[in-house]
Amino acid sequence: MIIETNNREETFELGKNLGEQAKRGEVYCLSGDLGTGKTVFTQGFARGLGITEPVNSPTFTIVSEYEEGRLPLYHFDVYRIEDIEEMEEIGYEDYFYGEGVCLVEWAELIKELLPETYVLVTIEKNPEKGFDYRKITVTNSSLLD
Ligand code: ADP
Ligand code: MG
């Protein structure tokens, strides 16, 4: 599935739609350069799950947990990770194979830890199509390499 958005709200809306359909145990990997909209997508996704508290990228922790929605949401941002041992220390397997839904920003940095199946969401800019244009590709179980 390929979706083109032309502003922040449209990306939020896509995230919200997917959040409304999300199932227990799913892992969504968000891939794309800084400032493409991974966190905006996550904010929409959280809203779709019924989460009303503000969602921002976890800066000093690897994962933030939101329990108030239809399913627990575990929001990872592994951009600043230095060693995958940090993932082991926080017990990532309890999240990835747990009862909630995981969203992982910069998932390509921890590809060796990803489960066999996940949803890959890739967000790309295209300078020819304007500053706010994003091409968002959603695929199932793609391998990052
Ligand atoms: P990331 O988490 O990928 O680093 P953010 O979601 O934090 O990126 O930031 C994306 C920025 O781009 C926001 O300032 C947002 O307003 C802006 N923006 C402009 N156009 C779009 C779009 N089509 N989709 C998402 N964000 C957009
Ligand atoms: Mg972000």
Side-chain angles (χ1 to χ4, degrees), residues 34-76:
L34 260 186
T36 47
K38 300 180 294 300
T39 298
V40 168
F41 175 93
T42 301
Q43 290 165 341
F45 194 98
R47 183 67 56 81
L49 282 170
I51 294 161
T52 55
E53 67 180 287
V55 171
N56 287 302
S57 256
T59 312
F60 300 107
T61 53
I62 296 173
V63 60
S64 297
E65 306 182 24
Y66 301 90
E67 304 281 354
E68 66 164 311
R70 180 172 62 82
L71 296 168
L73 172 66
Y74 306 123
H75 177 206
F76 290 76

mmCIF file of all heavy atoms in Angstrom, residues 34-76:
data_model
loop_
_atom_site.group_PDB
_atom_site.id
_atom_site.type_symbol
_atom_site.label_atom_id
_atom_site.label_comp_id
_atom_site.label_asym_id
_atom_site.label_seq_id
_atom_site.Cartn_x
_atom_site.Cartn_y
_atom_site.Cartn_z
ATOM 1 N N LEU A 34 15.299 11.688 9.566
ATOM 2 C CA LEU A 34 14.846 12.624 10.599
ATOM 3 C C LEU A 34 13.877 13.635 9.981
ATOM 4 O O LEU A 34 14.139 14.161 8.904
ATOM 5 C CB LEU A 34 16.046 13.409 11.142
ATOM 6 C CG LEU A 34 16.683 12.996 12.451
ATOM 7 C CD1 LEU A 34 17.743 14.028 12.836
ATOM 8 C CD2 LEU A 34 15.651 12.875 13.560
ATOM 9 N N GLY A 35 12.782 13.870 10.666
ATOM 10 C CA GLY A 35 11.859 14.902 10.208
ATOM 11 C C GLY A 35 10.930 14.483 9.089
ATOM 12 O O GLY A 35 10.257 15.322 8.487
ATOM 13 N N THR A 36 10.858 13.202 8.789
ATOM 14 C CA THR A 36 9.937 12.788 7.726
ATOM 15 C C THR A 36 8.509 12.605 8.250
ATOM 16 O O THR A 36 7.556 12.714 7.472
ATOM 17 C CB THR A 36 10.395 11.477 7.045
ATOM 18 O OG1 THR A 36 10.747 10.521 8.040
ATOM 19 C CG2 THR A 36 11.573 11.718 6.123
ATOM 20 N N GLY A 37 8.361 12.290 9.526
ATOM 21 C CA GLY A 37 7.005 12.162 10.064
ATOM 22 C C GLY A 37 6.722 10.879 10.829
ATOM 23 O O GLY A 37 5.559 10.530 11.044
ATOM 24 N N LYS A 38 7.761 10.207 11.285
ATOM 25 C CA LYS A 38 7.559 8.961 12.043
ATOM 26 C C LYS A 38 6.791 9.236 13.333
ATOM 27 O O LYS A 38 5.895 8.477 13.706
ATOM 28 C CB LYS A 38 8.911 8.292 12.353
ATOM 29 C CG LYS A 38 9.703 7.916 11.090
ATOM 30 C CD LYS A 38 11.033 7.259 11.414
ATOM 31 C CE LYS A 38 12.045 8.152 12.112
ATOM 32 N NZ LYS A 38 12.422 9.365 11.332
ATOM 33 N N THR A 39 7.155 10.326 13.998
ATOM 34 C CA THR A 39 6.464 10.637 15.250
ATOM 35 C C THR A 39 5.040 11.132 14.986
ATOM 36 O O THR A 39 4.105 10.768 15.711
ATOM 37 C CB THR A 39 7.285 11.654 16.068
ATOM 38 O OG1 THR A 39 8.557 11.055 16.385
ATOM 39 C CG2 THR A 39 6.593 12.024 17.370
ATOM 40 N N VAL A 40 4.863 11.898 13.917
ATOM 41 C CA VAL A 40 3.498 12.329 13.551
ATOM 42 C C VAL A 40 2.618 11.103 13.289
ATOM 43 O O VAL A 40 1.476 11.012 13.773
ATOM 44 C CB VAL A 40 3.539 13.239 12.297
ATOM 45 C CG1 VAL A 40 2.149 13.454 11.729
ATOM 46 C CG2 VAL A 40 4.212 14.573 12.620
ATOM 47 N N PHE A 41 3.139 10.154 12.540
ATOM 48 C CA PHE A 41 2.413 8.910 12.273
ATOM 49 C C PHE A 41 2.062 8.219 13.594
ATOM 50 O O PHE A 41 0.930 7.761 13.795
ATOM 51 C CB PHE A 41 3.274 7.996 11.388
ATOM 52 C CG PHE A 41 2.675 6.644 11.138
ATOM 53 C CD1 PHE A 41 1.895 6.404 10.017
ATOM 54 C CD2 PHE A 41 2.889 5.602 12.043
ATOM 55 C CE1 PHE A 41 1.326 5.157 9.792
ATOM 56 C CE2 PHE A 41 2.319 4.348 11.830
ATOM 57 C CZ PHE A 41 1.538 4.130 10.708
ATOM 58 N N THR A 42 3.030 8.154 14.491
ATOM 59 C CA THR A 42 2.821 7.500 15.787
ATOM 60 C C THR A 42 1.734 8.205 16.593
ATOM 61 O O THR A 42 0.913 7.562 17.254
ATOM 62 C CB THR A 42 4.146 7.483 16.578
ATOM 63 O OG1 THR A 42 5.135 6.786 15.818
ATOM 64 C CG2 THR A 42 3.982 6.810 17.936
ATOM 65 N N GLN A 43 1.728 9.543 16.538
ATOM 66 C CA GLN A 43 0.711 10.301 17.268
ATOM 67 C C GLN A 43 -0.680 9.987 16.746
ATOM 68 O O GLN A 43 -1.631 9.814 17.519
ATOM 69 C CB GLN A 43 1.023 11.800 17.167
ATOM 70 C CG GLN A 43 2.267 12.160 17.986
ATOM 71 C CD GLN A 43 2.855 13.526 17.656
ATOM 72 O OE1 GLN A 43 2.579 14.096 16.584
ATOM 73 N NE2 GLN A 43 3.668 14.055 18.550
ATOM 74 N N GLY A 44 -0.815 9.863 15.413
ATOM 75 C CA GLY A 44 -2.097 9.479 14.834
ATOM 76 C C GLY A 44 -2.478 8.063 15.232
ATOM 77 O O GLY A 44 -3.626 7.782 15.578
ATOM 78 N N PHE A 45 -1.505 7.186 15.204
ATOM 79 C CA PHE A 45 -1.723 5.776 15.542
ATOM 80 C C PHE A 45 -2.234 5.661 16.987
ATOM 81 O O PHE A 45 -3.181 4.920 17.272
ATOM 82 C CB PHE A 45 -0.395 5.035 15.368
ATOM 83 C CG PHE A 45 -0.510 3.545 15.342
ATOM 84 C CD1 PHE A 45 -0.546 2.853 14.141
ATOM 85 C CD2 PHE A 45 -0.537 2.817 16.529
ATOM 86 C CE1 PHE A 45 -0.631 1.465 14.115
ATOM 87 C CE2 PHE A 45 -0.625 1.438 16.513
ATOM 88 C CZ PHE A 45 -0.666 0.755 15.308
ATOM 89 N N ALA A 46 -1.596 6.419 17.866
ATOM 90 C CA ALA A 46 -2.004 6.419 19.279
ATOM 91 C C ALA A 46 -3.449 6.904 19.410
ATOM 92 O O ALA A 46 -4.260 6.312 20.131
ATOM 93 C CB ALA A 46 -1.064 7.303 20.099
ATOM 94 N N ARG A 47 -3.777 7.954 18.667
ATOM 95 C CA ARG A 47 -5.154 8.462 18.707
ATOM 96 C C ARG A 47 -6.123 7.390 18.231
ATOM 97 O O ARG A 47 -7.200 7.197 18.822
ATOM 98 C CB ARG A 47 -5.259 9.735 17.851
ATOM 99 C CG ARG A 47 -6.629 10.385 17.880
ATOM 100 C CD ARG A 47 -6.973 10.943 19.249
ATOM 101 N NE ARG A 47 -5.959 11.875 19.708
ATOM 102 C CZ ARG A 47 -5.869 13.155 19.345
ATOM 103 N NH1 ARG A 47 -6.757 13.661 18.505
ATOM 104 N NH2 ARG A 47 -4.921 13.925 19.814
ATOM 105 N N GLY A 48 -5.728 6.662 17.188
ATOM 106 C CA GLY A 48 -6.583 5.593 16.663
ATOM 107 C C GLY A 48 -6.824 4.477 17.671
ATOM 108 O O GLY A 48 -7.841 3.795 17.631
ATOM 109 N N LEU A 49 -5.871 4.309 18.574
ATOM 110 C CA LEU A 49 -6.037 3.306 19.636
ATOM 111 C C LEU A 49 -6.856 3.857 20.803
ATOM 112 O O LEU A 49 -7.159 3.128 21.745
ATOM 113 C CB LEU A 49 -4.666 2.864 20.165
ATOM 114 C CG LEU A 49 -3.862 1.867 19.329
ATOM 115 C CD1 LEU A 49 -2.448 1.754 19.887
ATOM 116 C CD2 LEU A 49 -4.535 0.496 19.310
ATOM 117 N N GLY A 50 -7.165 5.136 20.738
ATOM 118 C CA GLY A 50 -7.947 5.754 21.810
ATOM 119 C C GLY A 50 -7.108 6.386 22.901
ATOM 120 O O GLY A 50 -7.594 6.657 23.993
ATOM 121 N N ILE A 51 -5.846 6.637 22.590
ATOM 122 C CA ILE A 51 -4.957 7.269 23.569
ATOM 123 C C ILE A 51 -5.100 8.785 23.430
ATOM 124 O O ILE A 51 -4.989 9.315 22.319
ATOM 125 C CB ILE A 51 -3.498 6.812 23.342
ATOM 126 C CG1 ILE A 51 -3.387 5.318 23.639
ATOM 127 C CG2 ILE A 51 -2.514 7.624 24.181
ATOM 128 C CD1 ILE A 51 -2.175 4.644 23.041
ATOM 129 N N THR A 52 -5.343 9.465 24.536
ATOM 130 C CA THR A 52 -5.548 10.915 24.459
ATOM 131 C C THR A 52 -4.367 11.700 25.023
ATOM 132 O O THR A 52 -4.217 12.882 24.745
ATOM 133 C CB THR A 52 -6.833 11.331 25.221
ATOM 134 O OG1 THR A 52 -6.742 10.844 26.565
ATOM 135 C CG2 THR A 52 -8.060 10.738 24.557
ATOM 136 N N GLU A 53 -3.524 11.033 25.835
ATOM 137 C CA GLU A 53 -2.384 11.782 26.380
ATOM 138 C C GLU A 53 -1.372 12.065 25.263
ATOM 139 O O GLU A 53 -1.303 11.340 24.280
ATOM 140 C CB GLU A 53 -1.746 11.037 27.553
ATOM 141 C CG GLU A 53 -1.062 9.740 27.178
ATOM 142 C CD GLU A 53 -0.449 9.031 28.396
ATOM 143 O OE1 GLU A 53 0.568 9.518 28.897
ATOM 144 O OE2 GLU A 53 -1.007 7.996 28.804
ATOM 145 N N PRO A 54 -0.609 13.161 25.392
ATOM 146 C CA PRO A 54 0.326 13.519 24.325
ATOM 147 C C PRO A 54 1.425 12.477 24.129
ATOM 148 O O PRO A 54 1.941 11.913 25.090
ATOM 149 C CB PRO A 54 0.924 14.853 24.782
ATOM 150 C CG PRO A 54 0.452 15.089 26.170
ATOM 151 C CD PRO A 54 -0.625 14.124 26.498
ATOM 152 N N VAL A 55 1.728 12.211 22.880
ATOM 153 C CA VAL A 55 2.763 11.230 22.536
ATOM 154 C C VAL A 55 3.909 11.982 21.873
ATOM 155 O O VAL A 55 3.712 12.681 20.882
ATOM 156 C CB VAL A 55 2.192 10.165 21.568
ATOM 157 C CG1 VAL A 55 3.297 9.270 21.033
ATOM 158 C CG2 VAL A 55 1.114 9.341 22.261
ATOM 159 N N ASN A 56 5.089 11.859 22.419
ATOM 160 C CA ASN A 56 6.283 12.434 21.805
ATOM 161 C C ASN A 56 7.366 11.381 21.765
ATOM 162 O O ASN A 56 7.266 10.368 22.436
ATOM 163 C CB ASN A 56 6.758 13.649 22.598
ATOM 164 C CG ASN A 56 5.832 14.833 22.370
ATOM 165 O OD1 ASN A 56 5.630 15.265 21.245
ATOM 166 N ND2 ASN A 56 5.232 15.318 23.444
ATOM 167 N N SER A 57 8.395 11.647 20.976
ATOM 168 C CA SER A 57 9.451 10.649 20.905
ATOM 169 C C SER A 57 10.133 10.527 22.251
ATOM 170 O O SER A 57 10.506 11.515 22.863
ATOM 171 C CB SER A 57 10.482 11.026 19.846
ATOM 172 O OG SER A 57 10.294 10.233 18.722
ATOM 173 N N PRO A 58 10.292 9.297 22.717
ATOM 174 C CA PRO A 58 11.037 9.110 23.961
ATOM 175 C C PRO A 58 12.500 9.510 23.717
ATOM 176 O O PRO A 58 13.133 8.978 22.821
ATOM 177 C CB PRO A 58 10.909 7.610 24.240
ATOM 178 C CG PRO A 58 10.298 6.982 23.036
ATOM 179 C CD PRO A 58 9.865 8.036 22.101
ATOM 180 N N THR A 59 12.973 10.479 24.465
ATOM 181 C CA THR A 59 14.327 10.992 24.217
ATOM 182 C C THR A 59 15.347 10.347 25.138
ATOM 183 O O THR A 59 16.437 9.973 24.719
ATOM 184 C CB THR A 59 14.364 12.523 24.424
ATOM 185 O OG1 THR A 59 13.264 13.088 23.718
ATOM 186 C CG2 THR A 59 15.636 13.105 23.859
ATOM 187 N N PHE A 60 14.998 10.237 26.400
ATOM 188 C CA PHE A 60 15.976 9.718 27.365
ATOM 189 C C PHE A 60 15.739 8.257 27.704
ATOM 190 O O PHE A 60 16.543 7.615 28.349
ATOM 191 C CB PHE A 60 15.977 10.580 28.629
ATOM 192 C CG PHE A 60 16.336 12.006 28.324
ATOM 193 C CD1 PHE A 60 15.375 12.999 28.353
ATOM 194 C CD2 PHE A 60 17.638 12.341 27.962
ATOM 195 C CE1 PHE A 60 15.707 14.310 28.034
ATOM 196 C CE2 PHE A 60 17.982 13.646 27.638
ATOM 197 C CZ PHE A 60 17.011 14.633 27.679
ATOM 198 N N THR A 61 14.603 7.749 27.236
ATOM 199 C CA THR A 61 14.352 6.323 27.409
ATOM 200 C C THR A 61 14.161 5.747 26.010
ATOM 201 O O THR A 61 13.857 6.475 25.073
ATOM 202 C CB THR A 61 13.064 6.078 28.218
ATOM 203 O OG1 THR A 61 12.007 6.811 27.603
ATOM 204 C CG2 THR A 61 13.213 6.508 29.645
ATOM 205 N N ILE A 62 14.315 4.470 25.873
ATOM 206 C CA ILE A 62 14.152 3.855 24.555
ATOM 207 C C ILE A 62 12.682 3.638 24.242
ATOM 208 O O ILE A 62 12.260 3.711 23.096
ATOM 209 C CB ILE A 62 14.924 2.510 24.507
ATOM 210 C CG1 ILE A 62 16.425 2.779 24.667
ATOM 211 C CG2 ILE A 62 14.650 1.759 23.216
ATOM 212 C CD1 ILE A 62 17.266 1.526 24.811
ATOM 213 N N VAL A 63 11.897 3.396 25.293
ATOM 214 C CA VAL A 63 10.489 3.049 25.049
ATOM 215 C C VAL A 63 9.571 3.822 26.000
ATOM 216 O O VAL A 63 9.911 4.040 27.162
ATOM 217 C CB VAL A 63 10.273 1.518 25.159
ATOM 218 C CG1 VAL A 63 10.641 0.993 26.539
ATOM 219 C CG2 VAL A 63 8.853 1.107 24.782
ATOM 220 N N SER A 64 8.444 4.260 25.476
ATOM 221 C CA SER A 64 7.375 4.853 26.286
ATOM 222 C C SER A 64 6.152 3.957 26.194
ATOM 223 O O SER A 64 5.836 3.452 25.114
ATOM 224 C CB SER A 64 6.981 6.232 25.763
ATOM 225 O OG SER A 64 8.039 7.123 25.856
ATOM 226 N N GLU A 65 5.476 3.800 27.315
ATOM 227 C CA GLU A 65 4.311 2.914 27.357
ATOM 228 C C GLU A 65 3.044 3.727 27.559
ATOM 229 O O GLU A 65 3.000 4.620 28.394
ATOM 230 C CB GLU A 65 4.465 1.914 28.511
ATOM 231 C CG GLU A 65 5.777 1.154 28.445
ATOM 232 C CD GLU A 65 5.922 0.121 29.563
ATOM 233 O OE1 GLU A 65 4.893 -0.340 30.093
ATOM 234 O OE2 GLU A 65 7.073 -0.203 29.896
ATOM 235 N N TYR A 66 2.017 3.401 26.797
ATOM 236 C CA TYR A 66 0.713 4.071 26.918
ATOM 237 C C TYR A 66 -0.338 2.997 27.127
ATOM 238 O O TYR A 66 -0.517 2.130 26.264
ATOM 239 C CB TYR A 66 0.410 4.881 25.652
ATOM 240 C CG TYR A 66 1.453 5.925 25.373
ATOM 241 C CD1 TYR A 66 2.563 5.631 24.587
ATOM 242 C CD2 TYR A 66 1.358 7.204 25.921
ATOM 243 C CE1 TYR A 66 3.547 6.582 24.343
ATOM 244 C CE2 TYR A 66 2.323 8.168 25.676
ATOM 245 C CZ TYR A 66 3.420 7.843 24.889
ATOM 246 O OH TYR A 66 4.384 8.786 24.653
ATOM 247 N N GLU A 67 -1.005 3.067 28.242
ATOM 248 C CA GLU A 67 -1.903 1.964 28.622
ATOM 249 C C GLU A 67 -3.382 2.314 28.516
ATOM 250 O O GLU A 67 -4.224 1.483 28.785
ATOM 251 C CB GLU A 67 -1.618 1.536 30.082
ATOM 252 C CG GLU A 67 -0.175 1.141 30.345
ATOM 253 C CD GLU A 67 0.167 -0.272 29.874
ATOM 254 O OE1 GLU A 67 -0.752 -0.992 29.441
ATOM 255 O OE2 GLU A 67 1.359 -0.622 29.920
ATOM 256 N N GLU A 68 -3.703 3.551 28.131
ATOM 257 C CA GLU A 68 -5.102 3.961 28.255
ATOM 258 C C GLU A 68 -5.976 3.606 27.049
ATOM 259 O O GLU A 68 -7.188 3.782 27.085
ATOM 260 C CB GLU A 68 -5.195 5.462 28.539
ATOM 261 C CG GLU A 68 -4.703 6.306 27.390
ATOM 262 C CD GLU A 68 -5.133 7.767 27.477
ATOM 263 O OE1 GLU A 68 -6.320 8.049 27.711
ATOM 264 O OE2 GLU A 68 -4.261 8.633 27.292
ATOM 265 N N GLY A 69 -5.386 3.117 25.973
ATOM 266 C CA GLY A 69 -6.166 2.847 24.764
ATOM 267 C C GLY A 69 -6.746 1.445 24.705
ATOM 268 O O GLY A 69 -6.675 0.677 25.666
ATOM 269 N N ARG A 70 -7.300 1.116 23.565
ATOM 270 C CA ARG A 70 -7.895 -0.208 23.308
ATOM 271 C C ARG A 70 -6.883 -1.326 23.515
ATOM 272 O O ARG A 70 -7.222 -2.422 23.956
ATOM 273 C CB ARG A 70 -8.420 -0.203 21.859
ATOM 274 C CG ARG A 70 -9.071 -1.457 21.379
ATOM 275 C CD ARG A 70 -9.715 -1.243 20.016
ATOM 276 N NE ARG A 70 -8.762 -0.875 18.964
ATOM 277 C CZ ARG A 70 -8.006 -1.751 18.298
ATOM 278 N NH1 ARG A 70 -8.087 -3.032 18.562
ATOM 279 N NH2 ARG A 70 -7.174 -1.334 17.358
ATOM 280 N N LEU A 71 -5.619 -1.061 23.154
ATOM 281 C CA LEU A 71 -4.507 -1.988 23.395
ATOM 282 C C LEU A 71 -3.358 -1.158 23.949
ATOM 283 O O LEU A 71 -3.238 0.025 23.628
ATOM 284 C CB LEU A 71 -4.035 -2.628 22.081
ATOM 285 C CG LEU A 71 -5.005 -3.521 21.311
ATOM 286 C CD1 LEU A 71 -4.461 -3.804 19.905
ATOM 287 C CD2 LEU A 71 -5.195 -4.844 22.063
ATOM 288 N N PRO A 72 -2.470 -1.758 24.746
ATOM 289 C CA PRO A 72 -1.283 -1.010 25.169
ATOM 290 C C PRO A 72 -0.425 -0.655 23.948
ATOM 291 O O PRO A 72 -0.305 -1.453 23.025
ATOM 292 C CB PRO A 72 -0.531 -2.004 26.061
ATOM 293 C CG PRO A 72 -1.507 -3.059 26.430
ATOM 294 C CD PRO A 72 -2.513 -3.114 25.307
ATOM 295 N N LEU A 73 0.128 0.548 23.973
ATOM 296 C CA LEU A 73 1.044 0.973 22.901
ATOM 297 C C LEU A 73 2.436 1.130 23.488
ATOM 298 O O LEU A 73 2.614 1.786 24.515
ATOM 299 C CB LEU A 73 0.583 2.310 22.298
ATOM 300 C CG LEU A 73 1.562 2.957 21.290
ATOM 301 C CD1 LEU A 73 1.700 2.100 20.031
ATOM 302 C CD2 LEU A 73 1.094 4.363 20.920
ATOM 303 N N TYR A 74 3.414 0.504 22.839
ATOM 304 C CA TYR A 74 4.807 0.638 23.236
ATOM 305 C C TYR A 74 5.539 1.374 22.122
ATOM 306 O O TYR A 74 5.694 0.841 21.018
ATOM 307 C CB TYR A 74 5.417 -0.746 23.483
ATOM 308 C CG TYR A 74 4.624 -1.580 24.461
ATOM 309 C CD1 TYR A 74 4.133 -2.834 24.106
ATOM 310 C CD2 TYR A 74 4.336 -1.091 25.740
ATOM 311 C CE1 TYR A 74 3.385 -3.596 25.007
ATOM 312 C CE2 TYR A 74 3.589 -1.839 26.626
ATOM 313 C CZ TYR A 74 3.114 -3.087 26.254
ATOM 314 O OH TYR A 74 2.365 -3.825 27.128
ATOM 315 N N HIS A 75 5.934 2.582 22.400
ATOM 316 C CA HIS A 75 6.551 3.439 21.383
ATOM 317 C C HIS A 75 8.057 3.483 21.607
ATOM 318 O O HIS A 75 8.529 4.048 22.583
ATOM 319 C CB HIS A 75 5.940 4.854 21.482
ATOM 320 C CG HIS A 75 6.538 5.835 20.529
ATOM 321 N ND1 HIS A 75 6.546 7.183 20.788
ATOM 322 C CD2 HIS A 75 7.129 5.671 19.322
ATOM 323 C CE1 HIS A 75 7.139 7.813 19.770
ATOM 324 N NE2 HIS A 75 7.506 6.922 18.875
ATOM 325 N N PHE A 76 8.794 2.884 20.686
ATOM 326 C CA PHE A 76 10.254 2.867 20.755
ATOM 327 C C PHE A 76 10.822 3.923 19.822
ATOM 328 O O PHE A 76 10.314 4.131 18.716
ATOM 329 C CB PHE A 76 10.807 1.516 20.261
ATOM 330 C CG PHE A 76 10.553 0.349 21.163
ATOM 331 C CD1 PHE A 76 9.302 -0.241 21.232
ATOM 332 C CD2 PHE A 76 11.587 -0.186 21.927
ATOM 333 C CE1 PHE A 76 9.073 -1.340 22.051
ATOM 334 C CE2 PHE A 76 11.368 -1.286 22.751
ATOM 335 C CZ PHE A 76 10.114 -1.859 22.809
#
